[in-house]
Amino acid sequence: MFEVARTDGIANVEFLNHVLDGLTAQHKALNPKYFYDEQGSYIFDQICDLKEYYPYQAELSLLPKIAAELNVILQSEQSVVEFGAGAVKKIQPLLSLIKSIKNFTAIDISGEHLRSACATLQAEFPNIDIRAVEADFCKPVELKSEVKENRLGFFPGSTIGNFTPMEARRFLSNAKQSLGANSKFLIGVDTKKSPIQLHHAYNDAQGVTAQFNKNVLERINRELDCDIDVAKFEHYAFFNVAKGCIEMHLVSLVEQSIDIDGVEIKFDVGESIHTESSYKYSPKQFEALASDAGWKVEKTWLADGDMFSAFLLSC
Ligand SMILES: C[S@@+](CC[C@H](N)C(=O)[O-])C[C@H]1O[C@@H](n2cnc3c(N)ncnc32)[C@H](O)[C@@H]1O
């Protein structure tokens, strides 16, 4: 049955401390997890419908084939745990085609959006026990006792690219511990490709990605009772060739000060807040990262034109 678990709602005080730490640092930055309040999750779903944002469709195109292969490999009863499940769209080919899946735990930081998506999913898959867990996947997440072995971890959307390579290694290693012995991990990872194509994916013509980026300032206004003039910041995303990642920033268009909980934060013209990185990996690079974290790469899939990759890891 559909069940709601709330293990780690983000308290405003945690958000306030993070925002103050990030905006008073020498290079201003905010953690991308704060994009995802209800409004941010809604805008992200719109990004997934954009023709420029190729990762969504490219990964979706791989999943029925992957699920059909996993249906052969995974014969004993399976529990699936998805990290950053969002609108729970990507799990659907897996739940439809892998007959051994008995329960599904969806973890996401954006609680309302997740609960609503999981309620719809439960109606579509009445024979699978579906659980929505509002939690930060960077912290240990306690999995329910019946979800204890033969776990299949699932981490689509190239969300792993939002970590630096060092953080990604740490995440993979922690996930290995929490998934436990005999587990497997299916991960979607964006590939290296033309910087121009990458540029368009994060600078769409309709400005939806800009709206998504700026939502973090709107969220600060909503939740921390601030009055930042969001129009005085510009969305700026570019591919950093040396680092191999897209960097997303909010750049101040004027010299200005903002007040957050009585703390004055000054911006020069052109000063930026770094809001997200999105690392792209060649299959070789990702395989090395996964094996450094203690996983064995069992299988690799590539979407048409090598636009996106997926990896099946095992312990
Ligand atoms: C790039 S979106 C991917 C969504 C979906 N998995 C997909 O593939 O379309 C990242 C998702 O991870 C969630 N997320 C980001 N950081 C998180 C964190 N630290 N803990 C839990 N969820 C997080 C977001 O709320 C969002 O749903």
Side-chain angles (χ1 to χ4, degrees):
M1 284 303 296
F2 176 68
E3 184 197 330
V4 170
R6 193 184 189 111
T7 62
D8 185 24
I10 289 181
N12 268 12
V13 63
E14 187 185 325
F15 182 42
L16 172 64
N17 287 338
H18 174 81
V19 168
L20 286 176
D21 282 352
L23 298 188
T24 55
Q26 193 190 355
H27 299 291
K28 295 178 170 67
L30 293 169
N31 188 309
K33 70 183 178 185
Y34 291 112
F35 282 140
Y36 297 96
D37 62 351
E38 208 176 348
Q39 181 65 11
S41 296
Y42 171 76
I43 304 172
F44 182 76
D45 291 346
Q46 293 182 319
I47 289 177
C48 294
D49 290 336
L50 295 169
K51 66 174 184 342
E52 294 99 328
Y53 193 70
Y54 64 85
Y56 186 76
Q57 287 302 335
E59 185 175 35
L60 264 188
S61 73
L62 284 175
L63 289 171
K65 176 180 160 54
I66 294 176
E69 290 183 39
L70 293 185
N71 185 43
V72 177
I73 299 172
L74 305 173
Q75 288 294 321
S76 51
E77 279 200 2
Q78 295 291 315
S79 298
V80 183
V81 179
E82 181 173 350
F83 299 87
V88 293
K89 295 282 187 225
K90 306 246 175 90
I91 193 65
Q92 296 185 24
L94 276 64
L95 298 187
S96 298
L97 294 170
I98 306 175
K99 300 297 169 218
S100 52
I101 296 177
K102 297 298 170 219
N103 46 62
F104 170 54
T105 300
I107 302 169
D108 204 284
I109 205 156
S110 187
E112 285 309 316
H113 183 260
L114 179 72
R115 284 186 281 277
S116 146
C118 282
T120 308
L121 189 72
Q122 182 67 85
E124 282 167 33
F125 294 93
N127 298 326
I128 297 175
D129 186 2
I130 295 175
R131 185 169 179 245
V133 176
E134 179 183 351
D136 182 337
F137 55 49
C138 293
K139 299 179 182 170
V141 178
E142 206 181 306
L143 298 170
K144 249 179 135 188
S145 55
E146 67 260 30
V147 187
K148 58 175 174 259
E149 53 188 27
N150 292 322
R151 287 180 182 141
L152 172 66
F154 185 38
F155 196 27
S158 204
T159 307
I160 195 157
N162 297 149
F163 295 127
T164 62
M166 198 194 287
E167 290 166 343
R169 202 173 297 117
R170 194 177 318 129
F171 172 84
L172 287 172
S173 162
N174 290 343
K176 184 166 172 266
Q177 279 218 313
S178 46
L179 290 169
N182 302 322
S183 57
K184 295 191 188 291
F185 203 3
L186 177 64
I187 306 195
V189 182
D190 198 6
T191 50
K192 291 197 179 293
K193 55 183 63 67
S194 144
I196 307 273
Q197 192 163 22
L198 286 168
H199 183 86
H200 287 307
Y202 292 83
N203 290 281
D204 64 276
Q206 290 176 55
V208 184
T209 312
Q211 205 193 333
F212 176 72
N213 195 7
K214 289 182 180 179
N215 177 58
V216 74
L217 297 180
E218 309 270 15
R219 180 177 184 182
I220 292 172
N221 282 345
R222 280 193 294 273
E223 292 185 24
L224 303 180
D225 201 19
C226 298
D227 63 352
I228 301 169
D229 185 348
V230 177
K232 290 185 178 160
F233 288 88
E234 187 169 62
H235 163 75
Y236 180 53
F238 63 96
F239 185 62
N240 182 326
V241 180
K243 286 190 177 167
C245 68
I246 284 281
E247 283 189 25
M248 211 147 85
H249 293 256
L250 288 164
V251 178
S252 180
L253 296 173
V254 294
E255 191 178 321
Q256 59 178 316
S257 294
I258 62 175
D259 180 311
I260 297 181
D261 198 40
V263 178
E264 188 193 24
I265 296 164
K266 292 186 175 163
F267 287 84
D268 282 335
V269 185
E271 190 175 355
S272 91
I273 308 171
H274 184 180
T275 49
E276 189 184 72
S277 294
S278 183
Y279 282 82
K280 312 298 171 188
Y281 292 95
S282 69
K284 259 196 181 151
Q285 282 177 322
F286 188 75
E287 282 165 20
L289 187 77
S291 83
D292 276 1
W295 290 95
K296 199 169 91 210
V297 179
E298 275 196 26
K299 248 195 115 90
T300 302
W301 294 268
L302 284 166
D304 282 353
D306 296 351
M307 291 298 281
F308 201 85
S309 58
F311 299 84
L312 181 66
L313 313 180
S314 62
C315 290

